[in-house]
Amino acid sequence: MHAYVDILIRSVVAILLLLFAAKLLGKQTISNMTFLDFVTGITIGAIAANLAFNYTLKSIYLIVSLVVITGTSFLLSFVSMKSRKWRTWISGSPTVLIEGGKIVEHNMRKLRYTLDTLDQVLRSKGIFNIEEVDYAVLEDNGMVSVLKKEVYSSVTRKDMQLPSNTQSFPVELIMDGAVLEENLKRNELTREWLEGEVQRKGKQISEVFYAVRGTKKQIFFDFYDDGIQKPIDRE
């Protein structure tokens, strides 16, 4: 019984320490990772796993190791913020894959980046013809940024000299059937106003699954009863 209790305690401690480390290191640790984020993530994950289940190592050793790794990573992140030279070495730097519509073979070979991978990335961005690309850059987080040739670029409202409309950040009003009172208060909205908007749809608050005020202050409602008789897919 003691062994199970020990595993329980060590596992909980491991999770809490991982959460603390992730909070300290920032959101970039769980987003598109740089070299430093990748190495840090793997290392603290391995240490946390040993902390949870490896009886041959004392808990205090693993906790100290986890703290040291987190602290070192935090320090390196701070140094990279202060020095561009160190940032390039620690996190890497962008590499041009396509320049002026021409594939830069030397950079591709240096990175061991294949044409198949490049084609796949371009397709994921809705580009099926490589001739549409003017520049493509492999960023230090592993993502590829693409600039299309001007003739293939999408037309904007500015290009057409159309007036721009003011947009606002979306505000969630109801989520999972619960009214988000704090969001209403923060945006100077009232529950009475929300109830009125719902009643315009011939519904009640209790029937709403999700509601949001969009970028143009339009209201979108999703109701529990969608009225879909034969859904295309049902899990």
Side-chain angles (χ1 to χ4, degrees), residues 7 10 20 24 27 45-46 50 55 100 104 108 118 131 140 145 150 169 179 182 190 204 208:
I7 289 177
R10 289 170 67 122
F20 173 77
L24 179 65
K27 294 181 180 179
N50 277 284
Y55 278 98
V104 186
M108 296 275 289
L118 179 60
E131 64 184 29
D140 55 15
S145 300
E150 190 171 353
F169 196 82
V179 177
E182 188 63 30
T190 64
Q204 299 295 322
V208 181

Side-chain angles (χ1 to χ4, degrees), residues 27 32 42 71 77 85 164 168:
K27 294 181 180 179
N32 298 312
I42 289 178
S77 296
K85 182 178 179 180
S164 299
S168 57

Side-chain angles (χ1 to χ4, degrees), residues 99-118:
E99 181 176 351
K102 307 295 183 182
I103 298 174
V104 186
E105 293 86 354
H106 172 74
N107 288 351
M108 296 275 289
R109 285 195 295 268
K110 185 177 180 180
L111 296 172
R112 293 178 295 280
Y113 205 86
T114 67
L115 287 171
D116 288 334
T117 302
L118 179 60

Side-chain angles (χ1 to χ4, degrees), residues 35 84 88 91-99 102-113 118 121 133-147:
F35 290 147
R84 179 176 175 80
T88 300
S91 301
S93 59
T95 303
V96 177
L97 303 178
I98 298 178
E99 181 176 351
K102 307 295 183 182
I103 298 174
V104 186
E105 293 86 354
H106 172 74
N107 288 351
M108 296 275 289
R109 285 195 295 268
K110 185 177 180 180
L111 296 172
R112 293 178 295 280
Y113 205 86
L118 179 60
V121 170
V133 180
D134 199 5
Y135 285 88
V137 180
L138 180 63
E139 306 291 357
D140 55 15
N141 60 6
M143 304 295 289
V144 175
S145 300
V146 176
L147 175 64

Side-chain angles (χ1 to χ4, degrees), residues 30-79:
I30 58 175
S31 62
N32 298 312
M33 297 186 293
T34 62
F35 290 147
L36 175 61
D37 299 325
F38 176 74
V39 171
T40 301
I42 289 178
T43 305
I44 64 176
I47 294 173
N50 277 284
L51 174 59
F53 301 110
N54 194 337
Y55 278 98
T56 61
L57 297 174
K58 291 185 178 180
S59 299
I60 188 62
Y61 295 163
L62 294 169
I63 292 173
V64 170
S65 178
L66 189 59
V67 171
V68 170
I69 293 295
T70 302
T72 302
S73 180
F74 182 81
L75 179 62
L76 288 174
S77 296
F78 180 79
V79 170

Side-chain angles (χ1 to χ4, degrees), residues 16 42 46 49 73 125 134 139 150 173 176 185 229:
L16 293 177
I42 289 178
S73 180
K125 296 180 178 293
D134 199 5
E139 306 291 357
E150 190 171 353
L173 308 172
D176 294 329
K185 182 179 179 181
Q229 302 299 326

